[in-house]
Amino acid sequence: MSQEKTSFVYVTYIRSTPDKVFEAITQPEIARRYWGHENLSDWQVGSDWQHVRADEQRTLQLVGKVVEVSPPTRLVITWANASQADDPDAYSRVTFDIAPYQDMVKLTVSHDDLQAGSGMARGIQQGWPIVLSSLKSLLETGEGIDVFAKPKAAA
């Protein structure tokens, strides 16, 4: 019996170019400025990718494979916690669709094949909005936001 699956889709519009958005996702030196992590790969179909914390410990947090790459409009990767790298059922799929939209870019991130109710499914519902807001901020203003910020306690 297979586990129930769920998905998450986030759409944002960014005053930028498809090339700059694609580079921000795939270039470690840019990703660290808005994500606090680096995405490491040669970005060839079938290659490994790693999501590494951009700090002194350099903790490997996520792993996967490059499924599809069409710069600068589309990137598809598999996605799993590094601790679950050996479990094929732990992998989900992330698609970045980057489309020109007048003088900006429409970025659609679709995260599919998530195990419903899993920690990963809950985590990405909180994570993608702040990460993509930080990406938008970086590309539009030159500065990302603190993706590790916590809500302030109610006064």
Side-chain angles (χ1 to χ4, degrees), residues 124-155:
I124 63 97
Q125 288 176 0
Q126 303 247 320
W128 279 124
I130 198 162
V131 165
L132 297 173
S133 293
S134 187
L135 167 63
K136 177 180 172 67
S137 181
L138 176 70
L139 292 176
E140 291 182 349
T141 71
E143 190 173 331
I145 61 175
D146 180 3
V147 296
F148 302 110
K150 300 290 181 217
K152 290 185 177 183

Side-chain angles (χ1 to χ4, degrees), residues 7-30:
S7 63
F8 181 84
V9 177
Y10 191 90
V11 178
T12 191
Y13 296 84
I14 305 170
R15 273 188 236 110
S16 190
T17 66
D19 285 320
K20 287 181 180 176
V21 173
F22 192 87
E23 288 171 2
I25 295 164
T26 59
Q27 298 302 310
E29 64 278 6
I30 302 172

Side-chain angles (χ1 to χ4, degrees), residues 9 28 34 42 47 58 64 66 69 84 94 100 134 136 143 152:
V9 177
Y34 72 89
D42 65 8
S47 291
R58 308 278 306 153
V66 178
V69 60
Q84 297 177 300
V94 178
S134 187
K136 177 180 172 67
E143 190 173 331
K152 290 185 177 183

Side-chain angles (χ1 to χ4, degrees), residues 31-74:
R32 72 181 304 140
R33 293 177 57 204
Y34 72 89
W35 204 331
H37 292 80
E38 297 174 0
N39 294 315
L40 305 173
S41 180
D42 65 8
W43 304 111
Q44 302 298 309
V45 172
S47 291
D48 293 331
W49 80 272
Q50 298 178 328
H51 189 68
V52 177
R53 183 77 178 259
D55 61 10
E56 288 181 15
Q57 288 77 37
R58 308 278 306 153
T59 306
L60 176 62
Q61 295 194 306
L62 299 167
V63 296
K65 295 269 188 201
V66 178
V67 176
E68 182 182 338
V69 60
S70 300
T73 60
R74 187 168 167 89

